[in-house]
Amino acid sequence: MTGIKKNKVKLPVPQPKQKKALNKWKQGSKEPDQAKPGNSKPDKKAARKSIVFVKPKPKASSEDTDVSDDTEQQKTVAPKLPVLEPVPTDIPDPQLEPRKIKQLQSLIGYIYNRDEISLKRSFDEAGLLLTPDYDEKTRVFRFLVNTKEMCRAEGEKNEAHSIAREKLVQIVRYYCYIVKRVKEYHTRRKIFYTRPPKAAVQAQKDQKKIPEENVGFQMLQKQGWNPGSSLGVSNEGIIEPVAAKRRKGKGGLGVEDAVAPDGTPGKKVKIPLEAFYLVLKQYAGVNALYDIVFSSQFSKHQVAKLKNFATSLKLLPQMIGHKKKLVVSRPLTIKQIKEGVMKGHSDLCAKYVVIPPAAGIPEKDRTL
């Protein structure tokens, strides 16, 4: 009989490579710091470890120390003071009660002409109700702020009113900031209704130049003069010759507007009114704080149209000067003017000044 053959399952024999890798892993886990002698090349088949990036600390060089010193010096520099006039010292102390002083904290005085202060605008923009009150029986005139008495004076109504007003102005000057207008307007360009034709302007420029065929030109060259240089031994004279100007009217020398405008003879070119509407529209669309000044060439009808258009753009049109020129500006509150001047805005500083209270600059405004 033949024996029963049984199928034997053969187990996979571990390969030598797998044994070597297993042994290396065991040795690496037991002694990770020890390396095999003789193996100078790193083993690429070894188990990889997680990489941790450590940012190296920068070494303090001489340049770095200089920069750090500069930054420390910048921190210790004195704070920048706001643009203010000197604190006035000629205003006596009204010796007001603390509750009344606190009531005037939001008030900023406004001087619109020389030393004339506009109390109504000052108190209105501060949200304070200023009420004059006169009692004929007691002959006492009082100024009430939010129904509370601020100052008083006795006498006839007109006399007592002027005395009480002076006291109130003194109170405002002592405890509050003052914004003073020193110029009626500040402009970067003046708007004219007419302009001379280009051909006439160019012809006038050409007339000022002396041709080389001129006898005087040749005589000056013989005496050492060079074209384009000044006259005189030390070149302190004029460069261009004295030009003859056409005069209008019968006014003598020194009379204003006695000299005819440039470009004559010849008619001036009139600019359509729609072009000035575009100028106002562009001015309203930018953050400009200078004023637009229209010349006196505009008629009353044209000025009325320009004023209405400026008002529709929420601008402020005014008639300023003895010639009543139309000046269009951006409407600003007293507080906005004060803050702009204290920050050193060039357009506002050219038109206004800020006077600090005589009691002293508050602590919050001593640094910007």
Side-chain angles (χ1 to χ4, degrees):
M1 291 181 65
T2 59
I4 299 172
K5 295 181 179 180
K6 294 182 180 180
N7 295 329
K8 294 182 180 179
V9 179
K10 293 182 179 180
L11 296 175
V13 179
Q15 296 180 2
K17 291 183 179 180
Q18 293 178 350
K19 288 182 179 180
K20 289 180 180 179
L22 185 61
N23 294 333
K24 287 180 181 179
W25 178 80
K26 288 180 179 180
Q27 290 177 2
S29 59
K30 288 181 181 179
E31 296 175 357
D33 297 335
Q34 294 179 359
K36 288 184 177 180
N39 282 342
S40 60
K41 295 182 180 180
D43 191 0
K44 296 182 180 179
K45 296 179 181 179
R48 294 182 179 180
K49 298 181 182 180
S50 59
I51 301 173
V52 179
F53 292 96
V54 179
K55 188 175 180 181
K57 294 182 180 180
K59 296 182 181 179
S61 61
S62 60
E63 295 180 356
D64 296 337
T65 53
D66 294 340
V67 172
S68 62
D69 293 340
D70 293 340
T71 53
E72 290 177 359
Q73 289 178 0
Q74 289 177 0
K75 291 179 181 178
T76 58
V77 170
K80 187 179 178 182
L81 296 176
V83 181
L84 291 173
E85 290 290 303
V87 178
T89 57
D90 57 342
I91 302 172
D93 187 358
Q95 297 181 356
L96 221 60
E97 299 176 5
R99 60 182 182 86
K100 293 182 180 180
I101 298 173
K102 188 177 180 180
Q103 193 177 11
L104 298 175
Q105 284 182 350
S106 60
L107 180 67
I108 303 173
Y110 180 71
I111 298 177
Y112 61 94
N113 187 17
R114 295 183 182 177
D115 288 333
E116 297 178 9
I117 186 169
S118 176
L119 293 175
K120 185 179 184 305
R121 180 179 175 181
S122 303
F123 279 87
D124 287 348
E125 290 195 13
L128 301 173
L129 178 62
L130 180 65
T131 308
D133 178 66
Y134 181 71
D135 191 353
E136 294 183 356
K137 293 182 180 180
T138 58
R139 299 175 62 194
V140 174
F141 192 96
R142 303 183 301 165
F143 273 110
L144 308 177
V145 178
N146 291 350
T147 68
K148 294 181 181 179
E149 181 182 330
M150 187 61 61
C151 61
R152 62 164 55 196
E154 296 181 1
E156 296 295 330
K157 185 175 182 180
N158 294 336
E159 183 182 356
H161 174 266
S162 60
I163 295 173
R165 193 181 188 281
E166 288 179 5
K167 289 183 178 180
L168 185 59
V169 169
Q170 177 182 330
I171 290 171
V172 174
R173 284 176 175 269
Y174 191 83
Y175 294 108
C176 307
Y177 281 98
I178 300 291
V179 172
K180 184 177 180 180
R181 190 181 71 186
V182 294
K183 288 178 67 175
E184 291 184 340
Y185 54 83
H186 170 63
T187 182
R188 290 187 181 175
R189 70 176 170 176
K190 197 173 181 181
I191 307 298
F192 292 92
Y193 176 56
T194 58
R195 57 180 173 82
K198 293 182 179 180
V201 175
Q202 188 63 34
Q204 189 178 13
K205 289 182 179 179
D206 294 339
Q207 285 179 2
K208 291 183 178 180
K209 295 181 179 179
I210 301 177
E212 295 183 4
E213 294 81 11
N214 187 277
V215 178
F217 186 92
Q218 295 176 2
M219 290 176 64
L220 289 172
Q221 272 190 327
K222 290 178 181 179
Q223 294 177 4
W225 173 77
N226 295 321
S229 60
S230 302
L231 296 177
V233 179
S234 56
N235 294 333
E236 76 278 2
I238 61 174
I239 298 176
E240 297 294 337
V242 178
K245 295 183 180 180
R246 184 178 178 180
R247 300 178 63 81
K248 62 178 181 179
K250 296 181 180 180
L253 293 174
V255 178
E256 191 176 4
D257 297 334
V259 179
D262 295 338
T264 55
K267 294 182 179 180
K268 289 192 173 184
V269 179
K270 292 185 178 180
I271 304 172
L273 204 62
E274 288 75 16
F276 303 108
Y277 291 162
L278 181 61
V279 171
L280 291 175
K281 197 171 182 181
Q282 290 175 349
Y283 174 75
V286 297
N287 191 18
L289 296 180
Y290 57 88
D291 304 321
I292 295 182
V293 182
F294 292 86
S295 67
S296 56
Q297 298 173 345
F298 293 85
S299 63
K300 292 183 179 179
H301 180 66
Q302 292 170 339
V303 168
K305 286 187 174 181
L306 290 170
K307 286 174 70 176
N308 292 334
F309 188 75
T311 306
S312 66
L313 295 174
K314 297 182 179 180
L315 298 174
L316 180 63
Q318 293 176 304
M319 301 301 294
I320 296 177
H322 64 280
K323 290 187 178 181
K324 297 299 179 184
K325 297 178 181 179
L326 175 62
V327 179
V328 179
S329 57
R330 194 174 300 280
L332 299 174
T333 62
I334 305 174
K335 185 178 180 181
Q336 289 174 338
I337 297 171
K338 175 217 165 192
E339 291 176 354
V341 173
M342 290 180 69
K343 291 179 181 178
H345 196 287
S346 59
D347 293 328
L348 292 178
C349 290
K351 190 177 176 182
Y352 302 97
V353 296
V354 174
I355 305 171
I361 302 174
E363 188 68 26
K364 62 178 181 178
D365 294 333
R366 291 187 181 179
T367 57
L368 286 177

